[in-house]
Amino acid sequence: MTAPLNPPPPPHGRPGYDPWQLPEGAHPDDHPGTVRDEPLGREIRRAALTGLAVVVLGLLLGFLWSRLAPHVPLVSDGEAVYLKDTEGEQAIGADGTFALLALGFGAVTGLAAFLVHRAGGIAMVCGLALGSLGGAAVAWQFGMALGPSGDVVGHARTAGQGVTFDAPLELGALGVLVAWPIAALLVHLGLTALFGPREEPRVHHWQTHEG
């Protein structure tokens, strides 16, 4: 047997009383445990700040790369400049060092973005991806600026004939620049999927339960 759906009489004879009216300030979709959508402007601003912070971290990556990457030894005979070790793998090592550092920075920034904001969304993903790519580019340029001089001829002249000196720090494979954003997105999206907030089914005010 179901309960009658007729509304109860107005309490104390109060005119205009609607028993189905929501409490003042309530939203039709409000329900305990429901995740409300965040304002778009706030979400975009938060994502932009996250991306900017990640770009600034590129300076630290560039500094570490310039200190940890192996340098390519060069030597001059007074007329031309040659590789001192023609079979050396220092150039590949410089790319590998950058890639490993970028993967580490990507994992850390993806984790930090999740712990600070505890939310996903397209805006945050885009901000993290663009910030990571920008940070990698900053690290590349800043690391080269901190490395050996790019003026190979002048450096060879200063060093003298037969004296070994370091070649400029460079990236041979520019594809390693995407290591940071890939790692950051994988970590952030994985954590969001596993531990992010869940959106509960919304209960509307006109829904009734059968008795």
Side-chain angles (χ1 to χ4, degrees):
M1 184 174 182
T2 59
L5 297 180
N6 294 329
H12 308 297
R14 186 172 58 190
Y17 173 76
D18 184 0
W20 308 119
Q21 184 177 3
L22 292 173
E24 185 177 354
H27 190 276
D29 293 337
D30 281 344
H31 185 264
T34 301
V35 178
R36 296 289 304 276
D37 293 334
E38 187 178 22
L40 181 60
R42 183 185 303 173
E43 184 179 354
I44 293 176
R45 183 166 56 253
R46 184 183 62 185
L49 292 176
T50 299
L52 181 60
V54 173
V55 170
V56 174
L57 282 178
L59 296 175
L60 178 58
L61 174 56
F63 173 79
L64 293 176
W65 179 50
S66 69
R67 293 296 180 266
L68 300 177
H71 293 177
V72 179
L74 301 177
V75 65
S76 173
D77 62 0
E79 296 182 358
V81 177
Y82 304 94
L83 288 171
K84 183 178 182 180
D85 185 4
T86 56
E87 297 182 358
E89 298 181 353
Q90 291 87 351
I92 299 177
D95 288 4
T97 301
F98 188 96
L100 291 176
L101 289 171
L103 288 174
F105 270 65
V108 171
T109 50
L111 174 62
F114 173 77
L115 292 178
V116 172
H117 300 297
R118 291 281 180 175
I122 297 298
M124 176 56 65
V125 170
C126 292
L128 188 59
L130 294 177
S132 300
L133 188 59
V138 168
W140 170 36
Q141 296 298 318
F142 188 60
M144 289 195 304
L146 294 179
S149 172
D151 183 6
V152 176
V153 175
H155 200 172
R157 187 179 299 113
T158 301
Q161 183 176 349
V163 178
T164 302
F165 62 96
D166 292 330
L169 184 60
E170 297 177 342
L171 279 180
L174 296 182
V176 299
L177 293 175
V178 301
W180 188 344
I182 288 177
L185 291 180
L186 287 178
V187 170
H188 184 266
L189 292 176
L191 291 174
T192 302
L194 292 174
F195 307 108
R198 297 291 188 268
E199 184 172 348
E200 300 291 339
R202 298 188 175 186
V203 179
H204 298 280
H205 69 284
W206 44 262
Q207 292 178 330
T208 59
H209 298 280
E210 295 184 357

